[in-house]
Amino acid sequence: MPSPDALASSQADIARASAPASFIITPHQSLSDNAALVLYAALLMLGIAIQLPALTHGWWPVSMFVSLDVAGAILVLHVFRLCQRHRREEIEVADGIISIRRFAFRSAMTEQHLPCYGLSVLRCDDPDFGCRRLILKLRKQSVEIARDLSPFEREAFSTAFVDALRPYSVPLRIETGPGWALLTKGPYAP
């Protein structure tokens, strides 16, 4: 008869394997909404500061093109912020299946389901920068996940993700590639 501790441990493993683990990854935005408004206002002020002397000298085409440049820059920045705001990646591990859903503009771009059995997690490490890529491999299929994370965030995510996959015995392979400094050629290369 198994000991009560061993029985509780095996029941905890079964409960952990049946409990779904979910991760939501969103791209980092360094500007808050207020900071973006300040940036837009600074661009407008810079445009006005360039336009006023040009207009006083009678160079109206300069003023027109500066206005178009400032308006275009603000439009591009705003559209980029909107695209990043609605972008996210949802990864869920439940019942031996990994579901990966990627969203942009509030609609699912791609949705993939991979079984945990036969799956391996490949972490490509760079000695200079940390974890560059995190790839799920199943036979001939490979899916890169956590693309929007920084290398250090990707390392922390990989340990949490592998812990969620531990009940399914998914191995983690770590490949260390040469750093960018070793690949460069120049006067300071070894």
Side-chain angles (χ1 to χ4, degrees):
M1 182 166 158
S3 70
D5 291 333
L7 188 59
S9 174
S10 66
Q11 287 175 348
D13 288 341
I14 292 170
R16 197 177 314 121
S18 64
S22 87
F23 304 94
I24 297 176
I25 299 169
T26 56
H28 176 71
Q29 289 200 4
S30 58
L31 289 179
S32 65
D33 290 337
N34 290 337
L37 290 176
V38 169
L39 177 65
Y40 300 158
L43 284 173
L44 281 172
M45 295 306 229
L46 179 66
I48 290 171
I50 292 172
Q51 286 178 17
L52 286 178
L55 282 176
T56 58
H57 286 23
W59 301 330
W60 62 268
V62 172
S63 176
M64 182 181 65
F65 284 113
V66 168
S67 297
L68 288 174
D69 287 343
V70 168
I74 289 174
L75 179 71
V76 166
L77 286 171
H78 189 66
V79 167
F80 180 73
R81 284 181 50 78
L82 288 177
C83 289
Q84 292 294 344
R85 182 176 292 155
H86 298 296
R87 184 172 156 185
R88 73 178 187 276
E89 181 178 17
E90 294 178 358
I91 301 170
E92 184 177 347
V93 180
D95 299 326
I97 295 176
I98 299 173
S99 300
I100 303 166
R101 288 182 294 280
R102 292 189 174 104
F103 295 89
F105 294 116
R106 298 184 186 137
S107 63
M109 286 178 48
T110 60
E111 186 167 351
Q112 295 176 317
H113 301 284
L114 299 171
C116 289
Y117 301 104
L119 184 80
S120 66
V121 179
L122 175 65
R123 191 172 92 185
C124 301
D125 282 353
D126 187 329
D128 296 331
F129 298 105
C131 181
R132 288 292 216 174
R133 298 174 73 193
L134 194 59
I135 301 169
L136 301 178
K137 287 195 168 204
L138 180 69
R139 296 177 195 90
K140 294 186 179 192
Q141 183 180 9
S142 65
V143 178
E144 185 176 357
I145 59 171
R147 291 182 278 190
D148 291 326
L149 297 177
S150 70
F152 297 110
E153 292 170 334
R154 203 172 292 124
E155 282 182 29
F157 171 77
S158 71
T159 56
F161 186 65
V162 169
D163 286 344
L165 294 175
R166 184 158 289 136
Y168 305 107
S169 302
V170 175
L172 171 66
R173 285 190 349 221
I174 299 175
E175 287 185 1
T176 303
W180 290 106
L182 298 176
L183 297 175
T184 58
K185 297 194 189 286
Y188 304 110

